[in-house]
Amino acid sequence: LRRIISRQYSHSQTYHINSSQDLGGAIREFNNLPEPDRESIKALWGHGVFGLHSYLPGKTEYVTLLRNPVERVISNYYYVRRNQRHRHHEAARQMSLRQYVNSGVNKALDNQMVRNIVGGTEEADAETFQQAKENLDEHFGVVGLVEHFEKSILLMRQHFGWGDVSYRKRNVSSNRPGKEDLQASLRAEIEQRNHWDRKLYE
């Protein structure tokens, strides 16, 4: 998605909030940009950056791709295990998926979609779930699904008037189980831990 977006705008019109490091520091760095630099931005991307529209002039719309929560957790585990620079790499490498899910080491495994869409709250509950739905209605131009990536991209092209949206799959984990391959008890644990994300996805 990031590669597709970057083709629609010049380099000076895009800005990446690097949330793989210190998200708070990355957001502060963005907020400290001179106003003319912020005014030139046409596309801002990153994980968990809802709320940054208040620092941009004019009308701002978000886009997001929601994902089946069980698939998202499985994907996160295998991504972290193979990415040696990830802050949770060493912990994940020494754990099974079940241990990793229940360890509490990675907050991203707990209703991350809902928490991000309300601006990075620590916990998800009925109130934050409702706020997430309202934010999607009021601030998001397109809400797509990872499982329907191509259709989602075509909706974005139509909505924003983009040009070339061709792509090749990247960053795809091989040799990992899908949600259907998990033991029913583990799948249920992940679903319970991501109750609000599951409701949002549905």
Side-chain angles (χ1 to χ4, degrees):
L1 177 58
R2 189 171 70 218
R3 289 176 184 273
I4 290 170
I5 292 173
S6 67
R7 285 204 303 274
Q8 315 306 319
Y9 308 95
S10 68
H11 181 70
S12 64
Q13 293 177 318
T14 62
Y15 192 92
H16 176 214
I17 298 288
N18 186 357
S19 56
S20 64
Q21 305 302 319
D22 171 24
L23 180 58
I27 290 175
R28 281 192 298 277
E29 183 178 306
F30 168 76
N31 292 344
N32 289 330
L33 287 176
E35 192 169 335
D37 291 349
R38 277 188 274 128
E39 287 177 353
S40 70
I41 293 171
K42 301 294 182 197
L44 171 70
W45 63 72
H47 289 289
V49 296
F50 182 81
L52 289 184
H53 61 279
S54 60
Y55 298 97
L56 291 166
K59 184 174 185 282
T60 302
E61 287 186 297
Y62 290 84
V63 298
T64 192
L65 291 171
L66 300 180
R67 188 173 194 178
N68 178 286
V70 177
E71 287 289 350
R72 188 182 62 75
V73 167
I74 295 169
S75 176
N76 177 280
Y77 171 69
Y78 284 94
Y79 170 75
V80 170
R81 281 176 62 96
R82 76 172 189 270
N83 184 349
Q84 295 181 6
R85 293 183 297 176
H86 196 283
R87 62 187 180 277
H88 300 307
H89 171 73
E90 283 303 319
R93 207 168 54 85
Q94 299 173 37
M95 297 181 191
S96 68
L97 175 58
R98 186 185 296 271
Q99 290 170 328
Y100 184 62
V101 165
N102 291 302
S103 69
V105 72
N106 190 345
K107 190 70 174 167
L109 307 182
D110 179 4
N111 292 297
Q112 184 184 36
M113 293 188 298
V114 165
R115 292 186 299 105
N116 280 356
I117 290 168
V118 298
T121 183
E122 283 296 309
E123 301 296 332
D125 55 21
E127 186 177 336
T128 51
F129 168 68
Q130 187 61 38
Q131 184 63 58
K133 289 199 302 179
E134 290 174 12
N135 286 353
L136 290 180
D137 286 341
E138 294 173 15
H139 298 283
F140 284 70
V142 176
V143 178
L145 299 174
V146 170
E147 291 78 7
H148 295 284
F149 185 80
E150 189 164 322
K151 292 178 181 177
S152 301
I153 293 300
L154 293 176
L155 283 172
M156 292 177 197
R157 182 177 71 176
Q158 180 181 26
H159 185 79
F160 294 108
W162 288 350
D164 177 20
V165 294
S166 59
Y167 66 92
R168 276 188 310 154
K169 290 186 177 181
R170 295 176 180 270
N171 196 29
V172 177
S173 298
S174 58
N175 300 320
R176 74 160 181 85
K179 67 181 188 299
E180 301 83 8
D181 303 314
L182 296 187
Q183 289 181 343
S185 60
L186 176 54
R187 190 164 60 245
E189 285 178 36
I190 296 172
E191 288 178 346
Q192 181 179 8
R193 187 174 293 278
N194 291 275
H195 169 75
W196 300 109
D197 271 8
R198 186 163 51 85
K199 285 176 69 70
L200 191 72
Y201 178 81
E202 288 170 354

